[in-house]
Amino acid sequence: MNKSLGILAVILASLLWGTTGTAATFAPMLSPLFIGSFAMGIGGILQCGLAISYIAKNRALLRLYYRFLIVGALAVAIYPLAFYSSMRLSGVTIGTAVSIGSAPILSAIIEYRSRDFIPTKQWVIGSVLGIIGMSMLVFSDNSATTIQYNHISLGILLGLVAGFTYALYSWTARQLMLKKVNSKAAMGATFGCGGLLLIPVMLITGAVFFDSWNNIAVGFYMALIPMFLGYLCYGYGLSKIPASMATTITLLEPVIAATLAMLIVGETLSLIGWIGMLLIFICLVMVSLSNITKN
């Protein structure tokens, strides 16, 4: 039952995260560096504040395993800068698909090297289908007016950086939990420290933030809903299932992002892209069922 609740929590987080790319298009004047630093920075600091009592109770363990905390905080700080820049340069669909789609395999490699994860046959098949689906989604014909075609390659590269840092902070947070650090303390400390690292970027790039109510509304929506609430759900999920499992389930995010981009932003998707989305859904079902039956 706990495993199933963990999976549901990660699915809910993915649904919330899937709205970020479309939301960001409503504030085109804002730099992607500011959007990323503000959303993750404020959201992380709020998460830390909510967990401050748990952090205090677990401070001895956090000091003991400070290496995981430092690596996780750095990854948290880099992730949103790469992620939102990727979407600005290559479009919502491609940027999200590469960033989130690359995370499961990178997470599995990290966990496999640290001997924390032994993939099952069903997980491998599901993950392969998910990666194929993600690739089809990326390389399907996309005619979004927001895409700067000459920068798609750079956008994809930044998406891979985002995928790696996403996998990395998921792994470090999970490691802290496995070391008996309370899940709220592990997530709160990791994201709080990462949020503090993002404050200078926020101050340097946020000159036009208060120029319109639209900018303010987008900024606070991103910080409070996808980042703060979304990562509370994700943290709960990480306390119940492996990081590689959680990052694979979040392949649902690019599907949501692509759907919203088509309905609201005006991006289009070819038949290949739709088949890719179907494969991602099959991957989600296979990986989730693999985890439930295994446990």
Side-chain angles (χ1 to χ4, degrees):
M1 183 62 178
N2 285 338
K3 306 294 183 182
S4 299
L5 290 176
I7 290 171
L8 289 175
V10 175
I11 290 175
L12 178 57
S14 303
L15 293 174
L16 295 176
W17 293 341
T19 67
T20 58
T22 297
T25 64
F26 286 95
M29 293 177 60
L30 293 178
S31 160
L33 297 180
F34 174 78
I35 293 175
S37 61
F38 185 85
M40 188 70 93
I42 298 299
I45 291 170
L46 287 175
Q47 190 169 344
C48 179
L50 190 66
I52 196 68
S53 62
Y54 295 96
I55 293 173
K57 292 176 183 177
N58 289 261
R59 61 185 180 276
L61 286 173
L62 289 170
R63 280 198 299 266
L64 181 61
Y65 301 110
Y66 71 92
R67 290 183 180 86
F68 291 121
L69 183 58
I70 292 174
V71 172
L74 288 172
V76 165
I78 295 171
Y79 168 74
L81 306 181
F83 178 54
Y84 288 99
S85 295
S86 174
M87 286 194 294
R88 183 65 61 90
L89 292 173
S90 58
V92 174
T93 301
I94 292 177
T96 307
V98 174
S99 299
I100 305 305
S102 62
I105 186 65
L106 294 171
S107 183
I109 291 171
I110 292 170
E111 287 195 343
Y112 184 76
R113 286 183 62 85
S114 61
R115 299 181 181 179
D116 293 326
F117 175 67
I118 300 176
T120 64
K121 182 179 179 181
Q122 187 170 340
W123 184 91
V124 170
I125 295 173
S127 296
V128 169
L129 289 177
I131 292 168
I132 293 173
M134 180 270 294
S135 301
M136 294 175 73
L137 195 58
V138 167
F139 295 108
S140 63
D141 295 329
N142 190 300
S143 60
T145 57
T146 57
I147 289 181
Q148 301 175 38
Y149 185 79
N150 292 333
H151 297 107
I152 286 183
S153 296
L154 179 57
I156 290 175
L157 178 61
L158 287 171
L160 292 173
V161 173
F164 175 71
T165 50
Y166 171 41
L168 189 58
Y169 71 66
S170 297
W171 178 75
T172 57
R174 174 69 174 173
Q175 289 303 301
L176 288 172
M177 295 174 196
L178 292 175
K179 304 297 184 185
K180 307 303 180 183
V181 177
N182 177 274
S183 61
K184 293 184 177 65
M187 293 294 287
T190 299
F191 281 82
C193 291
L196 291 175
L197 292 175
L198 286 167
I199 289 178
V201 181
M202 194 188 313
L203 295 175
I204 293 169
T205 60
V208 299
F209 180 58
F210 293 104
D211 285 359
S212 74
W213 285 106
N214 199 59
N215 291 347
I216 296 171
V218 169
F220 279 101
Y221 167 79
M222 302 271 274
L224 296 176
I225 306 303
M227 296 304 160
F228 177 59
L229 182 58
Y231 276 102
L232 285 180
C233 295
Y234 189 65
Y236 177 82
L238 273 181
S239 69
K240 307 298 180 184
I241 59 177
S244 54
M245 191 72 64
T247 53
T248 304
I249 292 172
T250 57
L251 284 173
L252 180 62
E253 180 183 345
V255 174
I256 301 302
T259 302
L260 292 176
M262 286 185 288
L263 294 176
I264 299 174
V265 180
E267 295 187 7
T268 60
L269 203 62
S270 67
L271 177 61
I272 292 176
W274 283 109
I275 295 173
M277 290 175 67
L278 176 62
L279 290 178
I280 291 173
F281 268 118
I282 294 173
C283 160
L284 177 67
V285 173
M286 290 187 68
V287 169
S288 299
L289 290 178
S290 171
N291 189 58
I292 293 172
T293 56
K294 182 181 176 182
N295 294 282

Coordinates of all heavy atoms in Angstrom, one line a residue, residues 113-161:
R113 N 25.7 1.9 -10.3 CA 27.1 2.0 -9.9 C 27.3 2.0 -8.4 O 28.3 1.6 -7.9 CB 27.7 3.3 -10.5 CG 27.9 3.2 -12.0 CD 28.6 4.4 -12.5 NE 29.9 4.7 -11.9 CZ 31.0 4.1 -12.3 NH1 31.0 3.3 -13.4 NH2 32.2 4.4 -11.7
S114 N 26.3 2.5 -7.7 CA 26.4 2.5 -6.2 C 25.8 1.3 -5.6 O 25.6 1.2 -4.4 CB 25.7 3.8 -5.6 OG 24.3 3.8 -6.0
R115 N 25.3 0.4 -6.4 CA 24.8 -0.9 -6.0 C 23.5 -0.8 -5.2 O 23.2 -1.6 -4.3 CB 25.8 -1.7 -5.2 CG 27.1 -2.0 -6.0 CD 28.1 -2.8 -5.3 NE 29.3 -3.1 -6.1 CZ 30.3 -3.8 -5.6 NH1 30.3 -4.3 -4.4 NH2 31.4 -4.0 -6.4
D116 N 22.7 0.3 -5.5 CA 21.5 0.5 -4.8 C 20.3 0.0 -5.6 O 19.2 0.1 -5.1 CB 21.3 2.0 -4.5 CG 22.3 2.5 -3.5 OD1 22.7 1.8 -2.6 OD2 22.7 3.7 -3.7
F117 N 20.5 -0.5 -6.8 CA 19.4 -0.8 -7.7 C 19.8 -2.0 -8.6 O 20.8 -2.0 -9.2 CB 19.0 0.4 -8.5 CG 17.9 0.1 -9.5 CD1 16.6 -0.2 -9.1 CD2 18.2 0.2 -10.9 CE1 15.6 -0.4 -10.1 CE2 17.2 0.0 -11.8 CZ 15.9 -0.3 -11.4
I118 N 18.9 -3.0 -8.6 CA 19.0 -4.1 -9.5 C 17.8 -4.1 -10.4 O 16.7 -4.4 -10.0 CB 19.2 -5.4 -8.8 CG1 20.4 -5.4 -7.8 CG2 19.3 -6.6 -9.7 CD1 20.5 -6.6 -7.0
P119 N 18.0 -3.8 -11.7 CA 16.8 -3.7 -12.6 C 16.2 -5.0 -12.9 O 16.9 -6.0 -13.0 CB 17.4 -3.0 -13.9 CG 18.8 -3.4 -13.8 CD 19.2 -3.4 -12.4
T120 N 14.8 -5.1 -12.9 CA 14.1 -6.3 -13.3 C 13.9 -6.3 -14.8 O 14.1 -5.2 -15.4 CB 12.8 -6.3 -12.6 OG1 12.0 -5.2 -13.0 CG2 12.9 -6.3 -11.1
K121 N 13.6 -7.4 -15.3 CA 13.3 -7.5 -16.8 C 12.2 -6.6 -17.2 O 12.3 -5.9 -18.2 CB 13.0 -8.9 -17.1 CG 12.7 -9.2 -18.6 CD 12.4 -10.6 -18.9 CE 12.2 -10.8 -20.4 NZ 11.9 -12.2 -20.7
Q122 N 11.1 -6.5 -16.4 CA 10.0 -5.7 -16.7 C 10.4 -4.2 -16.6 O 9.9 -3.4 -17.5 CB 8.8 -5.9 -15.7 CG 7.5 -5.2 -16.1 CD 6.3 -5.7 -15.3 OE1 6.4 -6.8 -14.7 NE2 5.3 -4.9 -15.2
W123 N 11.2 -3.8 -15.7 CA 11.6 -2.4 -15.5 C 12.5 -2.1 -16.8 O 12.3 -1.0 -17.3 CB 12.5 -2.2 -14.3 CG 12.9 -0.8 -14.1 CD1 12.2 0.1 -13.4 CD2 14.0 -0.1 -14.6 NE1 12.9 1.3 -13.4 CE2 14.0 1.2 -14.2 CE3 15.1 -0.6 -15.4 CZ2 15.0 2.1 -14.5 CZ3 16.1 0.4 -15.7 CH2 16.0 1.7 -15.2
V124 N 13.4 -3.0 -17.2 CA 14.2 -2.7 -18.4 C 13.4 -2.5 -19.6 O 13.6 -1.5 -20.4 CB 15.2 -3.8 -18.6 CG1 16.0 -3.6 -19.9 CG2 16.3 -3.8 -17.5
I125 N 12.4 -3.4 -19.8 CA 11.6 -3.3 -21.0 C 10.8 -2.0 -21.0 O 10.7 -1.2 -22.0 CB 10.6 -4.5 -21.1 CG1 11.4 -5.8 -21.4 CG2 9.6 -4.3 -22.3 CD1 10.6 -7.0 -21.3
G126 N 10.2 -1.7 -19.8 CA 9.4 -0.5 -19.7 C 10.2 0.8 -19.9 O 9.8 1.7 -20.6
S127 N 11.4 0.8 -19.3 CA 12.3 1.9 -19.5 C 12.7 2.1 -20.9 O 12.8 3.3 -21.4 CB 13.5 1.8 -18.6 OG 13.2 1.8 -17.2
V128 N 13.1 1.0 -21.6 CA 13.5 1.1 -23.0 C 12.3 1.7 -23.9 O 12.5 2.6 -24.7 CB 13.9 -0.3 -23.6 CG1 14.0 -0.2 -25.1 CG2 15.2 -0.7 -22.9
L129 N 11.1 1.2 -23.6 CA 9.9 1.8 -24.3 C 9.8 3.3 -24.0 O 9.5 4.1 -24.9 CB 8.7 1.0 -23.9 CG 8.5 -0.4 -24.4 CD1 7.3 -1.0 -23.9 CD2 8.5 -0.4 -25.9
G130 N 10.0 3.7 -22.7 CA 9.9 5.1 -22.4 C 10.9 5.9 -23.1 O 10.6 7.0 -23.5
I131 N 12.1 5.4 -23.1 CA 13.2 6.2 -23.8 C 12.9 6.3 -25.3 O 13.2 7.4 -25.9 CB 14.6 5.5 -23.5 CG1 14.9 5.7 -22.0 CG2 15.7 6.2 -24.4 CD1 16.1 4.9 -21.6
I132 N 12.5 5.2 -25.9 CA 12.1 5.2 -27.3 C 11.0 6.3 -27.5 O 11.0 7.1 -28.5 CB 11.7 3.9 -27.8 CG1 12.9 2.9 -27.8 CG2 11.1 4.0 -29.2 CD1 12.5 1.5 -28.2
G133 N 10.0 6.2 -26.6 CA 8.9 7.2 -26.8 C 9.4 8.6 -26.6 O 8.9 9.5 -27.3
M134 N 10.2 8.8 -25.6 CA 10.8 10.2 -25.4 C 11.5 10.6 -26.7 O 11.4 11.8 -27.1 CB 11.7 10.2 -24.2 CG 12.4 11.5 -23.9 SD 13.9 11.8 -24.7 CE 15.0 10.5 -23.9
S135 N 12.3 9.7 -27.3 CA 13.1 10.1 -28.5 C 12.2 10.4 -29.6 O 12.4 11.4 -30.4 CB 14.0 8.9 -28.9 OG 14.9 8.6 -27.8
M136 N 11.1 9.6 -29.8 CA 10.1 9.9 -30.8 C 9.4 11.3 -30.6 O 9.2 12.0 -31.6 CB 9.1 8.8 -30.9 CG 9.6 7.4 -31.3 SD 8.4 6.1 -31.3 CE 7.4 6.5 -32.7
L137 N 9.2 11.6 -29.4 CA 8.6 12.9 -29.0 C 9.5 14.0 -29.4 O 9.1 15.0 -29.9 CB 8.2 12.9 -27.6 CG 7.3 14.0 -27.0 CD1 5.9 13.9 -27.8 CD2 7.0 13.8 -25.6
V138 N 10.8 13.8 -29.1 CA 11.8 14.9 -29.4 C 12.0 15.1 -30.9 O 12.0 16.3 -31.3 CB 13.2 14.5 -28.7 CG1 14.3 15.4 -29.3 CG2 13.1 14.6 -27.2
F139 N 12.0 14.0 -31.6 CA 12.4 14.2 -33.0 C 11.2 14.2 -34.0 O 11.3 14.2 -35.2 CB 13.3 13.0 -33.5 CG 14.6 13.1 -32.8 CD1 15.0 12.2 -31.8 CD2 15.5 14.1 -33.1 CE1 16.2 12.3 -31.2 CE2 16.8 14.2 -32.5 CZ 17.1 13.3 -31.5
S140 N 10.0 14.2 -33.4 CA 8.8 14.4 -34.2 C 8.7 15.8 -34.7 O 9.4 16.7 -34.2 CB 7.5 14.2 -33.4 OG 7.4 15.1 -32.3
D141 N 8.1 16.0 -35.9 CA 8.0 17.4 -36.5 C 7.3 18.3 -35.5 O 6.1 18.1 -35.2 CB 7.3 17.3 -37.8 CG 8.0 16.5 -38.8 OD1 9.3 16.5 -38.8 OD2 7.4 15.9 -39.7
N142 N 8.0 19.4 -35.1 CA 7.4 20.3 -34.2 C 7.5 21.7 -34.8 O 8.5 22.2 -35.2 CB 8.2 20.3 -32.8 CG 7.5 21.1 -31.8 OD1 7.2 22.3 -31.9 ND2 7.1 20.4 -30.7
S143 N 6.3 22.4 -34.9 CA 6.3 23.7 -35.6 C 5.9 24.8 -34.6 O 5.3 25.8 -35.0 CB 5.3 23.7 -36.7 OG 4.0 23.4 -36.2
A144 N 6.4 24.7 -33.4 CA 6.1 25.7 -32.4 C 6.7 27.0 -32.9 O 7.8 27.1 -33.3 CB 6.6 25.3 -31.1
T145 N 5.9 28.1 -32.7 CA 6.4 29.4 -33.1 C 7.5 29.9 -32.1 O 8.2 30.8 -32.4 CB 5.3 30.4 -33.2 OG1 4.6 30.5 -31.9 CG2 4.3 30.1 -34.2
T146 N 7.5 29.3 -30.9 CA 8.5 29.8 -29.9 C 9.9 29.2 -30.1 O 10.8 29.6 -29.5 CB 8.0 29.4 -28.5 OG1 7.8 28.0 -28.5 CG2 6.7 30.1 -28.2
I147 N 10.0 28.2 -31.0 CA 11.3 27.5 -31.2 C 12.3 28.4 -32.0 O 11.9 28.9 -33.1 CB 11.1 26.1 -31.9 CG1 10.5 25.2 -30.9 CG2 12.5 25.6 -32.4 CD1 10.3 23.8 -31.5
Q148 N 13.5 28.6 -31.5 CA 14.5 29.2 -32.3 C 15.4 28.0 -32.8 O 16.2 27.5 -32.2 CB 15.4 30.1 -31.4 CG 14.6 31.1 -30.7 CD 15.4 31.9 -29.7 OE1 16.6 32.2 -30.0 NE2 14.9 32.3 -28.6
Y149 N 15.1 27.7 -34.1 CA 15.6 26.5 -34.7 C 17.1 26.3 -34.6 O 17.6 25.2 -34.3 CB 15.2 26.4 -36.2 CG 15.5 25.1 -36.8 CD1 14.8 23.9 -36.6 CD2 16.7 25.0 -37.6 CE1 15.1 22.7 -37.2 CE2 17.0 23.7 -38.2 CZ 16.2 22.7 -38.0 OH 16.6 21.5 -38.6
N150 N 17.8 27.4 -34.7 CA 19.3 27.3 -34.7 C 19.8 27.0 -33.3 O 21.0 26.7 -33.2 CB 19.9 28.7 -35.1 CG 19.7 29.0 -36.6 OD1 19.5 28.1 -37.4 ND2 19.6 30.3 -36.9
H151 N 19.0 27.0 -32.3 CA 19.5 26.7 -31.0 C 18.9 25.4 -30.4 O 19.0 25.2 -29.2 CB 19.1 27.9 -30.0 CG 19.7 29.2 -30.4 ND1 19.0 30.2 -31.0 CD2 21.0 29.6 -30.3 CE1 19.8 31.2 -31.2 NE2 21.0 30.9 -30.8
I152 N 18.3 24.6 -31.2 CA 17.7 23.4 -30.7 C 18.8 22.4 -30.2 O 18.6 21.8 -29.1 CB 16.9 22.6 -31.8 CG1 15.6 23.4 -32.1 CG2 16.6 21.2 -31.4 CD1 14.7 22.7 -33.1
S153 N 19.9 22.3 -30.8 CA 21.0 21.5 -30.4 C 21.5 21.9 -29.0 O 21.7 21.0 -28.1 CB 22.2 21.5 -31.3 OG 21.8 21.0 -32.6
L154 N 21.7 23.2 -28.8 CA 22.1 23.7 -27.5 C 21.0 23.4 -26.4 O 21.3 23.0 -25.3 CB 22.3 25.2 -27.5 CG 22.8 25.9 -26.2 CD1 24.0 25.2 -25.6 CD2 23.0 27.4 -26.4
G155 N 19.7 23.6 -26.9 CA 18.6 23.3 -26.0 C 18.6 21.8 -25.5 O 18.3 21.5 -24.3
I156 N 18.9 20.9 -26.5 CA 18.9 19.5 -26.1 C 20.1 19.2 -25.2 O 19.9 18.4 -24.2 CB 19.0 18.6 -27.4 CG1 17.7 18.7 -28.2 CG2 19.4 17.2 -27.1 CD1 17.7 18.0 -29.6
L157 N 21.2 19.8 -25.4 CA 22.4 19.6 -24.5 C 22.1 20.1 -23.1 O 22.4 19.4 -22.1 CB 23.6 20.4 -25.1 CG 24.9 20.3 -24.2 CD1 25.3 18.9 -24.1 CD2 26.0 21.2 -24.8
L158 N 21.4 21.2 -23.0 CA 21.0 21.7 -21.7 C 20.0 20.8 -21.0 O 19.9 20.6 -19.8 CB 20.5 23.2 -21.8 CG 21.5 24.2 -22.1 CD1 20.9 25.6 -22.4 CD2 22.5 24.4 -20.9
G159 N 19.1 20.2 -21.9 CA 18.1 19.3 -21.4 C 18.8 18.1 -20.8 O 18.4 17.5 -19.7
L160 N 19.9 17.6 -21.4 CA 20.7 16.5 -20.8 C 21.3 16.8 -19.5 O 21.4 16.0 -18.6 CB 21.7 16.0 -21.8 CG 21.2 15.3 -23.1 CD1 22.3 15.1 -24.1 CD2 20.4 14.0 -22.8
V161 N 21.8 18.1 -19.4 CA 22.4 18.6 -18.1 C 21.3 18.6 -17.1 O 21.5 18.1 -15.9 CB 23.0 20.0 -18.3 CG1 23.4 20.5 -16.9 CG2 24.2 19.9 -19.2

